[in-house]
Every structure is written in C-alpha cells, then in structure tokens.
Amino acid sequence: MMNGDDIYAPAFVKGVFDRCSDRYIGFSYACSFGFTERWRRQCVAAMPDPGTATPTGYDLMAGTGEVWPHLLERFPGIGRIVAVDISSGMHRLAMARLHAHRAHRIDFVEDDVLASDLKDESADFVVSTFGLKTFDPAQHARLAALIARVLKPGGSFSMIEASDPKGWWLRPLYLFHLRVVLPLIERLFLRGAHDFAMLGIYSAKFGNAAGMADLLRAQGLEVEYRRYFFGCATGVVGTKPRPA
C-alpha cells in the first residue's frame, strides 16, 4: 500500500477496484451482512423526485451498478443512466453478470469522475453509493462543485457511504470488523493484495457525510444530511433550486 494520501490518487483507486472487481459483489454483501443492498435501496428512496417523466442522470463512482435496479424500479420511465467509474473491471462485471438486458438504457464512462467532461445542467438526478470514501476532503469539494454544475435546476441527488457510527455503543465492534475482520477474511479466504482490506481503511478514514453536506450547501444546493442504522452509513439528499 502507498503511504499517506496516495491512497486517494486515481491510479491507486483504479488498481484497488480493478483487482477486486471479480469478487466485489459477494464480498461486500457478506461483510456488510446484506446492509449495503438495503442502504442502496434507501438511498434511492430518499432522493427527491426530479419531476420529469423520463429523467436522465449520472451514477457517479458507479462500480458494479448495483443501484441501477433500484433506480429503474422507482423511476420506470428513466431515459438514460450514465455510469461514471474509474474501474474498467467493475464495469465489465456490471454488464456481464448483472445488467446486460439493461444495456440500452445505460452508458458507461470509464474515467476519474473529477476529470470527466460532464456537461453543465445535463442531469435530472445524480446518485452515488459507496464511492465517497475513495476521495479526500479536497476531492470532496471538487465533487460538490461538479454535482452543482451538472444538475439541472430542480434536479435532485442522493448519496450514501459507510460511516463511523460515533456515539453508538457498538462502535468498538464496528471498528473491530473494519480493522481486524475484513483483513483476516481477505488473508484466509481471498489471498488478495490488501485490496478488500482497503475498503475498510477508506471507510474508517471517511468518517461521515456531514462534511459533504456542508460542501454541497456551499455550492448553493438544498441539502439534507441523513443517518442510516445508528450512523453505520450516512448520506446526503437534496435538490438544485430553480431560479426565482
């Protein structure tokens, strides 16, 4: 592993997720005891209705596209989901194992989200599930500016991330799970190159989404900060105001 903030360098993040992509879905589901799937559904349910019959939008840090079924269930008229992710391995898995029959409604952009050339006011919605942890605070500020820029007036967003449940009496068990159990599972059963254990490191360093909420408000967006399951996940939801 690189030291210091290098774990947030785009090339490092891409390498982590390319290498663990083949086993990512099963690992994340099992090690979260199924909560990741529940939280994705709650993330979509919390997103304000963008107010159009055929919305189009972005799934940022899209990974394997596990949020797409929830989006299409809630908004069956979705015209297009543009999935942006730095990992080609995650996209291959998404289309080969999960979403081949939805391919006509999904475009994929393989790129660092913060370097991607997404058009101004091009999205009715923006969603992101479990990608915030791979950015440092400066990158979060750039992401907040990007979301404000690409949303249409009246457009909505919802994001969620595994978080540190400070103040919860079971927090020591949660941290033990991240710092000890995940690396042990990887070492004993996955023989990985520290890649799955990195997910726990990213989560522990992330803290919670309160800082992201402040950054989005600073961009002029209407924002609500949310906690899920005693703060084991946190998120932000809101809208881009329409002109007065």
Side-chain angles (χ1 to χ4, degrees), residues 37 64-73 78-82 91 94-108:
E37 186 64 13
T64 54
E66 290 165 277
V67 76
W68 303 341
H70 302 301
L71 282 170
L72 292 168
E73 180 180 5
I78 279 180
R80 182 69 58 181
I81 299 170
V82 180
H91 174 63
M95 300 313 296
R97 294 184 54 189
L98 297 174
H99 303 296
H101 64 291
R102 301 185 181 99
H104 65 289
R105 303 178 76 178
I106 298 163
D107 291 333
F108 184 76

Side-chain angles (χ1 to χ4, degrees), residues 70-163:
H70 302 301
L71 282 170
L72 292 168
E73 180 180 5
R74 183 171 176 210
F75 306 114
I78 279 180
R80 182 69 58 181
I81 299 170
V82 180
V84 186
D85 198 281
I86 201 169
S87 171
S88 52
M90 298 292 269
H91 174 63
R92 283 196 301 269
L93 178 66
M95 300 313 296
R97 294 184 54 189
L98 297 174
H99 303 296
H101 64 291
R102 301 185 181 99
H104 65 289
R105 303 178 76 178
I106 298 163
D107 291 333
F108 184 76
V109 177
E110 183 185 334
D111 202 355
D112 171 13
V113 168
L114 299 180
S116 57
D117 186 21
L118 306 181
K119 294 181 180 179
D120 294 357
E121 298 188 355
S122 56
D124 297 300
F125 67 86
V126 171
V127 68
S128 181
T129 57
F130 308 111
L132 291 176
K133 62 180 172 290
T134 59
F135 291 144
D136 64 21
Q139 291 169 320
H140 284 147
R142 293 169 59 196
L143 179 64
L146 180 147
I147 292 168
R149 179 176 63 80
V150 302
L151 276 175
K152 299 176 183 178
S156 61
F157 61 89
S158 186
M159 294 179 279
I160 196 169
E161 184 55 82
S163 304

